[in-house]
Amino acid sequence: MLNGQTVVIIGGTSGIGLEVARQVLAAGGKVVVGGRDGARLDAAVAKLGDGADGAVVDSSDKASLATFFDRIDGLDHLFSPGSSYGRGPFAEISDELAESPFRSKFWGQYYAARYALPKLAPTGSVVLMGGAYSARPPADGGAAYAACNAALEGLGRALALELRPIRVNVVAPGLVDSDLWTKVTPEVKAHNFAAYTADALLARAGTTAEIAQSVLYLMTNGYTTGSVLYPDGGFALR
Ligand SMILES: NC(=O)c1ccc[n+]([C@@H]2O[C@H](COP(=O)([O-])OP(=O)(O)OC[C@H]3O[C@@H](n4cnc5c(N)ncnc54)[C@H](OP(=O)(O)O)[C@@H]3O)[C@@H](O)[C@H]2O)c1
C-alpha cells in the first residue's frame, strides 16, 4: 500500500505518531520520525527497526524545522501530531497557557508543511492533526484549544486548494488512550476517561491503532482531499 514511500512523522516517537510509524512500516513504507527528546527518539527508531530513521526536531522552532527537512531528500507524506500545549477555564487560564495550542499545534503544523513542501512529491499528501473538540468543545474549559482544532480544519481545506495535486486532510480524533495520558496525574486521567465514556456513543476512548488506521486511509486514498475524518466513537454527535 505504501511500498517504497517515505512518510515523515513529526511527533513520531510516542503515542499516535509512533503507532502510525509502525503501521507505515507494516504497509511497506519507510519512516523518518521526529521529536524533541533525543533519548526518546533513539528508543523509537530502535523499536521500529528496519526502514526507520529519525532526527531531533522542535516544531515550534522554525530553524529546527528547516534543519530537520534539510537532511531529508524527499518525502511522500507528512503527518505532524507533535505538539505540547495546555487548556483551562476561560476566566482563569493564563495568557501563556491559553495561547499555547495555537503556538504549538497550529503554527507548528503550518510551518512543518511549509518547510516540507519543496520536498513533497506531487502524488503525496499532508495529514494534519486536529481534534474532535473542534466540533464539541470540552465542558471543563478549553476555548482556545477547541478554536485551534477548528482552525486546523480550515487550514486543511485551504491547503488542499493551494497545494493541489498534493492532497491535504485532517484527522480529528476524540479521546485516545495514548502515552500522552501518562504525563498527567491518575486522577486527571480518570476524570477525562470517565467523562468521555459517558459522552461518546461507543462509550470508550479510542486506541492508537484505530487512529493510525484513519491516518493511513487519508494518506493512501488517492481521491480524498480537503476532508476531516473524526475517529471519535461518536463523541461529537451527542
Ligand atoms: N491522546 C489524545 O487523547 C488525543 C486526542 C485528540 C487529539 N490528540 C492530538 O494528538 C497529538 C499527539 O498526541 P499523542 O496522544 O500521540 O501524544 P504523545 O504520546 O504525548 O506524543 C506526542 C509526540 O509529539 C512529540 N512532540 C511534542 N511536542 C513537540 C514539538 N514541539 N516538536 C516536535 N515533536 C513534539 C513528542 O516527543 P517529544 O516530547 O520528545 O518532543 C511525542 O513524540 C496532539 O497534537 C494531540 O492534540 C490527542
Side-chain angles (χ1 to χ4, degrees):
M1 194 166 61
L2 282 165
N3 274 341
Q5 298 189 29
T6 298
V7 177
V8 172
I9 305 168
I10 297 182
T13 63
S14 159
I16 298 166
L18 181 60
E19 178 58 24
V20 168
R22 273 196 209 103
Q23 292 196 15
V24 166
L25 291 171
K30 291 177 281 187
V31 292
V32 181
V33 294
R36 295 165 302 176
D37 184 279
R40 198 174 6 251
L41 179 76
D42 291 344
V45 171
K47 201 188 292 180
L48 290 167
D50 281 354
D53 192 5
V56 167
V57 64
D58 181 350
S59 65
S60 64
D61 176 351
K62 288 183 224 171
S64 172
L65 281 169
T67 306
F68 177 81
F69 282 106
D70 267 354
R71 65 183 286 283
I72 291 171
D73 293 333
L75 68 153
D76 296 285
H77 305 280
L78 172 68
F79 178 48
S80 46
S83 62
S84 38
Y85 51 82
R87 66 177 176 89
F90 184 73
E92 294 163 22
I93 190 170
S94 69
D95 294 354
E96 178 72 16
L97 202 59
E99 291 170 15
S100 64
F102 271 90
R103 261 202 316 275
S104 182
K105 189 169 177 175
F106 181 84
W107 290 111
Q109 296 198 83
Y110 177 100
Y111 284 110
R114 181 71 190 84
Y115 285 98
L117 184 60
K119 299 191 172 181
L120 251 175
T123 50
S125 80
V126 175
V127 180
L128 299 171
M129 173 58 88
Y133 282 157
S134 63
R136 183 181 174 176
D140 57 353
Y145 181 55
C148 170
N149 285 324
L152 282 159
E153 295 180 9
L155 179 66
R157 285 188 285 271
L159 289 183
L161 201 68
E162 273 200 60
L163 304 189
R164 64 191 157 171
I166 294 169
R167 295 177 298 103
V168 183
N169 294 290
V170 180
V171 64
L175 189 81
V176 185
D177 195 0
S178 76
D179 302 321
L180 183 143
W181 294 102
T182 61
K183 297 172 191 162
V184 301
T185 63
E187 293 73 27
V188 169
K189 179 175 176 179
H191 166 76
N192 277 275
F193 277 63
Y196 199 84
T197 299
D199 283 349
L201 294 184
L202 300 184
R204 65 172 175 86
T207 65
T208 56
E210 288 166 332
I211 311 311
Q213 193 182 21
S214 303
V215 173
L216 263 77
Y217 163 76
L218 293 172
M219 281 178 189
T220 55
N221 186 285
Y223 203 50
T224 301
T225 192
S227 289
V228 182
L229 191 55
Y230 291 92
D232 70 343
F235 170 76
L237 275 184
R238 288 184 61 199

